[in-house]
Each structure stands twice: as structure tokens, then as C-alpha cells.
Amino acid sequence: MGEEKRPLISVRNIRKSFGGIIAVNDLSLDLMEGEVLGLIGPNGAGKTTIVNTITGFTKPEAGEIFFREKKLTKLPPYKIAELGVTRTFQIVRPYPSLQAYKSLIVPLWSPRARRFAGSRGGDRDAVAIDLLEEVGFERDAYVPYKLASALPLGYLKRLELARCLALRPEVIICDEVFSGLSMSEIASMVPLVERLRMKGVTLLMIEHRLRELFSVADRVVVIDFGVKIAEGEPEQVMQDETVRRAYLGEELEL
Amino acid sequence: MVEEHKRKERLDRGIKARTDRLYAVTSWREIGYLLAPRAGLVLVLLVAPLVVPSLYWQRVLGLAAVYALLAISFDFLAERVGLVCIGGAFMIGVGGYISGSLNFYFGMPAALTIPLGTIGGAVICTLLWLPCLPLRGIYFAVVTFMFPFFATSIILAGGLFRGTEGLSPVSGFPNIWVGVYLILAFVLIAIFALRRLCGEDIGLVFAGIKDNDQAVLASAVNITRVKVYALFISTVIGCFAGAFVSHFSGFVGLSLFAVDFTIMPIAATIMGGPGTLAGPALGAFILAPLSEALRGFGQLRVVLYCFVLVAFILFKPEGLLNWASRKYHQFEHWVKV
């Protein structure tokens, strides 16, 4: 018992409805320290609502969320990010009028990043360029200086991750970072996720790209209609009859 | 026989193409090239009071500078932070009433009342608008637009500050030169300081809030606090203009809350070039004297004035300064097709 890892984020019995539709119903899940947890489910299952609830962008009607011993449920989004629980947005949220590297000045300016910056705090531009390189931007005199409005989606998804990394996160919640990318772009994102895990960042990944997700995830939670229907290791979950019916469809025979 | 076609080709100048927004300046010629428009602006503003024909036009210049400050303050908040604040009249009113009444009731000199009116007014405006800061776009605009009417009603209903009669006399400046140069200097300081500020890290956070406030929230930045900083900076500029007006006109009354102070800066911003800070000031220095010059037309000048505005919105929505700077950074020539 004593050896068991404690959950880093613990979601307990949260419920959230929009009008008459219950998006998330009495859902609990634990995110262990250092793991990569996949969260999958059909469209409209409530995945993004869970992300929004954990990161404070929507408030749950019932239930509680803890980060270590700290209760997140009542905190505003920026406080939650300040604790090191960061997120990407499924629909990317760049700053169109800023250059790619300048858009990282915003998180680098935050109190959390400044606390970590120490003596190098004065040179945020250099830190920003380093961060962009870390997520796979070319380190040349061209790409990092492009306006965000001129960048293709693949780079904007990386920019989302770079924004999280600028905060020296403990947790990154990735809301479909692979979606909308070409096969080659996804292929280059997978090693990036692996690198993040090596650095000790805990990841909660929402994905529709199951093959890529299963190659990095330690554990998978499946939800449907806001309810958890299965949990476990990827192979084990995919054997589950309810999961296959709900998620993959009846006709799909493996 | 094939007709010969010619086409106008526009090319960015070398310095623009090479250093877009980065300003890696390599020679005195290029420094001069960048410096010329800025120096020109400073020079024109500083020489203007000396060359205008009469005291009357010097006063018009001073008033135009007041509109310029309001336009700069509006432009900064709307285009650089994304807060559309159309409470120009309220800033003028609060700044003016504070400095004017300090002078009228306690006999404090302008050297004291203007700073007090500026800072005190900015604190009051910021605190009153603080609860509205989570509102975005048109909603924040509507709330701020209501405040001058609200203040007028309170003053009338409570008979405060001698009601409709107003406070008079408020002591003026020793002479017209002090007044005009004070406000012109402040216009220049406001333009250059705000442009510098927008390039600093906090200016990028402002831009982030305008572009995508949710992403700024996800970046662990308290956007309400940052908006308060921006609002305070903007109201300092507006309230300074108000405090100045009270001494410049020697009178404090309900006319300080006049809707002109709200509308004219917006018009000047549209005309001068939204987002450029110097452009709105330029717009104000054109519109305010134009409006005076057309005084002879009586009510008809409002029609002409609207005509100018509609024409700008339709045909030059980018505004004068954006257009001019685009032309400045390009050269054109005819090429055979």
C-alpha cells in the first residue's frame, strides 16, 4: 500500500450539464504521477468538458477535483495553470497578430514562469526560441518569426504545447493535439510526447487517433455519454465488449 | 498586333522587407529613414503654436490636443488591449471636476490640481469600471458610454458642484504658451510611451488579451489584473486631458461630460488609423480644427463632418496613418507585362 503511487489529479464524481443535456455524469478518474493517461470516447461523450472542468474553464455542478491535496474546483483557470496544471485547446487558440516566438512571451511573463526563470528572466525572447525548438519548430531566421496567423495547423498545435511548456508544467492536458494533422506530422508529434514523458511531465491525452495514442499511453479511460465505461491498459480496454460497441461500432471486427 | 500592357508594381523597400518589425538598422541612412516621420511629427506639433495666426487658433490647437489625448487613450484600449471603452466624456468630466473643484474651493494651484486630478480621476474611473471588466466588446462599450449620463444626473439631482451653473472662475495658466505646450508635450509623451509599452512584454500580454483572452488565461496570467493596468494607463491619459481642460477653459461644468468628448475621439481614430496611436492623434488634429473652420456653416458642418467619416469608413478603412506608412515603406514603378 505504502509503495503505491498517489494520484496527481483526482477527479471525484463530477457532474456537468448544459441545458437538458448531461455532458458528464458522476465521473471519477485518477491521473497518476508521471503516467500518460489516454481519454477516449465517441464524439460528444464529454471529453472536452472534462478538460474544461479540470482546468477551471467550466465549473462542475457537483463533485470535486484535487491536485495533490489542493482543491481545484473553485479556482479560476489562471490559478490552476499557475499550479502547473496546463492544457492545450482542441480548437487552437493562437494570437494572430503576434509572431510565433512572441506569443510565448505571454506565458513566460506569468508569475509562475518568472519564478522559474531566475537569472535568465530578462531574456524571454531567447527562452521562447528554445521552447519552440523543443516542440519541433525549425531554429532558423524564418519560422519562429512568422506571424501566428501565417502558420499552418501543425505548427499551431505545437505552439499550444509550447505555451504549456513555458509554464514548466507538472501536468499537460492535451485536447486532441493530433487531430487535423497529416500522417507525417503525427509521426513527428509522437516522439515529442515521449520526450515530455521522459522529462517527468504527467499527461492526460484526449485522442481520436487510437493507434498513436496506444503507442504512448500507459492507461486508457473510455467514456460514453459522460459516463466511464471502461478503464485499464490499452489492449485490455480494446477487448472490452461495451467499449467496442460504444466506440468502434458493432460492425468492426478485430 | 499585341497591345502593350503596363502594370504598376509595388515593392517593399529593402529595410522593410529585411527587417519587418524587427528593426535591425544598419546605417545612418536607414536610421534617418525610420527617424524622419517621428521627428517630423514632433517638429510639426512643437512649431504649430508658433505659426497659427491668432490666440483663437492657439486655443483650438489646445482643444484639438485634448481630443488627441482621448483618441490615443481610446485607440490604446480598443486596438491594443481589446477593451472598447467609449467613456471619454467621463474621464474628461472626472479629471476636470477634481482639479477644477480643488482649485475653486481650496485655491490650490494648477501645478498641484492637475496631477491630483489626473491620478485621482484615473483611480476613480478604474475603480468604477472595474466590475465591468469581465465584459467584452460591445457590452463593455455600452456600460462605459452610460457613465457620463449617470454622472450628469447625479450632479443635477444632488445639486453638487453648484449644479448647472458650474464652477467659475477656475484659475487659468499664466499664459497661453504654457497651456498649449503642456498639452502638446503630453500628447507626444503619450504617443511614444504607449508605443514603447506595447512593444514591451506586458504589451504583448495586452495584445494576447485582445487576440485570445482564453489562451492568456491558460497561460497562468490573471487577465482581469492586466486589464486593470491597461485601463489605469488609459484613464490617466484621459483624466489628464480633463484636468487640463478645467484650467484651460477656466470653467468646470456639465459640459465636461458632453458626448462630443466620446464621439470625436472615435471619429479621429477611424480617420487617423486604428491601432497606430499616432494616427488617432493626427485624426484629432485634423478633425477638431476642421470642425472649427466649418463653424460658419452652422448645423451644416455636422453633415460635412459625417460625410468625411463615412467616406473614410468606406474608402480608407485602414485610416490615414496606416495608408501613409504603407506608402512610405514601398516604392512603385510601371513594368511591362
Side-chain angles (χ1 to χ4, degrees):
Chain A
M1 266 314 258
E3 288 296 299
E4 199 182 313
K5 274 186 177 175
R6 283 222 308 267
L8 195 59
I9 287 186
S10 170
V11 176
R12 292 186 201 155
N13 310 98
I14 55 164
R15 193 183 72 225
K16 175 75 191 172
S17 57
F18 298 102
I21 298 157
I22 299 171
V24 178
N25 195 6
D26 200 28
L27 186 122
S28 304
L29 60 87
D30 285 334
L31 182 62
M32 300 297 171
E33 191 152 6
E35 78 170 340
V36 178
L37 175 65
L39 181 62
I40 63 174
N43 286 328
K47 303 183 295 293
T48 297
T49 307
I50 293 171
V51 176
N52 285 340
T53 320
I54 294 174
T55 51
F57 283 84
T58 55
K59 299 288 165 215
E61 285 144 21
E64 286 168 330
I65 298 160
F66 290 91
F67 172 68
R68 299 220 169 89
E69 266 75 55
K70 184 125 176 108
K71 196 168 155 184
L72 300 184
T73 328
K74 292 276 190 294
L75 294 180
Y78 74 90
K79 283 250 171 78
I80 294 176
E82 197 174 324
L83 292 172
V85 181
T86 60
R87 68 170 295 181
T88 71
F89 289 94
Q90 180 179 5
I91 297 158
V92 291
R93 290 183 171 279
Y95 309 123
S97 66
L98 296 186
Q99 291 165 309
Y101 81 109
K102 287 286 187 193
S103 57
L104 291 180
I105 301 298
V106 178
L108 287 173
W109 185 82
S110 71
R112 179 179 171 89
R114 272 184 282 179
R115 218 165 37 240
F116 280 110
S119 58
R120 230 190 145 188
D123 197 4
R124 296 196 187 118
D125 287 357
V127 178
I129 300 273
D130 289 348
L131 279 168
L132 286 179
E133 191 184 22
E134 198 177 333
V135 296
F137 273 63
E138 288 85 347
R139 193 186 188 97
D140 57 15
Y142 185 59
V143 182
Y145 300 95
K146 272 185 137 180
L147 288 181
S149 56
L151 287 173
L153 184 63
Y155 283 103
L156 293 180
K157 293 268 180 185
R158 289 164 196 276
L159 200 54
E160 289 277 315
L161 273 176
R163 187 185 61 222
C164 297
L165 288 177
L167 296 171
R168 304 278 188 104
E170 300 211 40
V171 182
I172 301 180
I173 304 176
C174 303
D175 198 351
E176 301 204 14
V177 282
F178 295 158
S179 73
L181 300 188
S182 68
M183 293 309 281
S184 65
E185 281 174 320
I186 293 176
S188 65
M189 284 290 260
V190 172
L192 172 59
V193 173
E194 289 287 356
R195 269 205 308 280
L196 291 180
R197 190 232 294 267
M198 297 299 245
K199 283 177 64 177
V201 180
T202 306
L203 289 155
L204 174 60
M205 298 190 69
I206 294 184
E207 267 322 319
H208 277 307
R209 310 285 314 196
L210 297 188
R211 182 175 305 169
E212 286 78 13
L213 177 67
F214 289 173
S215 71
V216 291
D218 301 309
R219 220 154 50 86
V220 175
V221 168
V222 190
I223 62 167
D224 193 16
F225 294 111
V227 182
K228 183 157 73 179
I229 57 173
E231 181 172 10
E233 287 177 12
E235 301 79 23
Q236 177 196 336
V237 163
M238 277 301 108
Q239 299 304 319
D240 190 303
E241 200 55 38
T242 21
V243 173
R244 289 173 63 174
R245 231 186 348 263
Y247 192 76
L248 301 168
E250 298 262 20
E251 73 277 17
L252 196 114
E253 294 295 326
L254 285 175
Chain B
M1 190 183 150
V2 184
E3 234 181 291
E4 207 171 75
H5 287 287
K6 279 188 169 181
R7 175 171 71 86
K8 200 187 243 179
E9 190 179 56
R10 295 194 181 92
L11 289 171
D12 278 351
R13 286 179 197 281
I15 181 173
K16 159 98 168 146
R18 202 170 61 243
T19 67
D20 202 4
R21 288 159 179 244
L22 272 175
Y23 289 132
V25 181
T26 51
S27 70
W28 282 108
R29 189 160 163 264
E30 294 191 337
I31 293 174
Y33 173 78
L34 291 174
L35 217 56
R38 291 158 173 81
L41 170 80
V42 176
L43 211 65
V44 167
L45 278 192
L46 291 184
V47 171
L50 300 171
V51 296
V52 292
S54 63
L55 183 69
Y56 169 74
W57 283 102
Q58 283 179 332
R59 298 198 70 83
V60 171
L61 197 64
L63 199 65
V66 166
Y67 284 119
L69 281 180
L70 287 173
I72 293 165
S73 143
F74 169 80
D75 188 46
F76 167 67
L77 267 193
E79 295 292 325
R80 300 298 181 109
V81 195
L83 282 170
V84 183
C85 169
I86 51 176
F90 190 66
M91 296 188 235
I92 291 286
V94 172
Y97 264 95
I98 291 178
S99 79
S101 57
L102 284 178
N103 180 271
F104 183 81
Y105 291 117
F106 306 107
M108 289 160 88
L112 218 59
T113 60
I114 290 184
L116 284 175
T118 304
I119 301 299
V123 169
I124 289 174
C125 291
T126 308
L127 285 180
L128 285 176
W129 287 334
L130 189 61
C132 321
L133 277 179
L135 300 176
R136 258 183 286 176
I138 188 76
Y139 302 100
F140 185 72
V142 168
V143 171
T144 52
F145 189 65
M146 295 306 295
F147 269 80
F149 302 107
F150 180 63
T152 311
S153 308
I154 287 182
I155 289 172
L156 278 178
L160 305 168
F161 306 109
R162 305 212 322 211
T164 46
E165 203 181 322
L167 307 178
S168 180
V170 173
S171 69
F173 295 102
N175 58 51
I176 184 81
W177 302 103
V178 176
V180 169
Y181 275 107
L182 175 68
I183 191 96
L184 287 180
F186 203 83
V187 168
L188 288 174
I189 291 170
I191 291 174
F192 287 109
L194 283 182
R195 284 181 74 104
R196 169 63 76 88
L197 183 76
C198 289
E200 295 289 317
D201 288 355
I202 190 164
L204 297 171
V205 181
F206 291 156
I209 289 179
K210 174 173 190 276
D211 280 359
N212 215 324
D213 57 351
Q214 299 292 298
V216 180
L217 268 182
S219 309
V221 172
N222 182 351
I223 59 173
T224 307
R225 173 185 282 186
V226 177
K227 282 179 184 175
V228 168
Y229 295 157
L231 189 61
F232 184 77
I233 292 166
S234 176
T235 50
V236 159
I237 296 171
C239 291
F240 173 83
F244 172 81
V245 166
S246 70
H247 289 280
F248 197 58
S249 59
F251 165 75
V252 167
L254 291 174
S255 60
L256 288 182
F257 289 108
V259 78
D260 295 36
F261 287 119
T262 299
I263 303 299
M264 179 87 119
I266 300 174
T269 304
I270 290 166
M271 185 178 174
T276 55
L277 297 172
L282 177 72
F285 281 114
I286 294 171
L287 274 184
L290 187 71
S291 156
E292 284 301 323
L294 298 177
R295 197 171 274 277
F297 289 91
Q299 284 302 309
L300 201 62
R301 75 193 163 119
V302 180
V303 178
L304 286 166
Y305 181 70
C306 293
F307 197 72
V308 170
L309 274 187
V310 173
F312 262 97
I313 291 171
L314 280 181
F315 302 115
K316 275 272 172 282
E318 59 183 343
L320 283 175
L321 201 73
N322 282 324
W323 174 80
S325 83
R326 198 156 48 77
K327 290 289 170 197
Y328 189 69
H329 286 293
Q330 285 177 338
F331 55 88
E332 299 176 342
H333 62 150
W334 291 95
V335 287
K336 281 183 194 162
V337 180

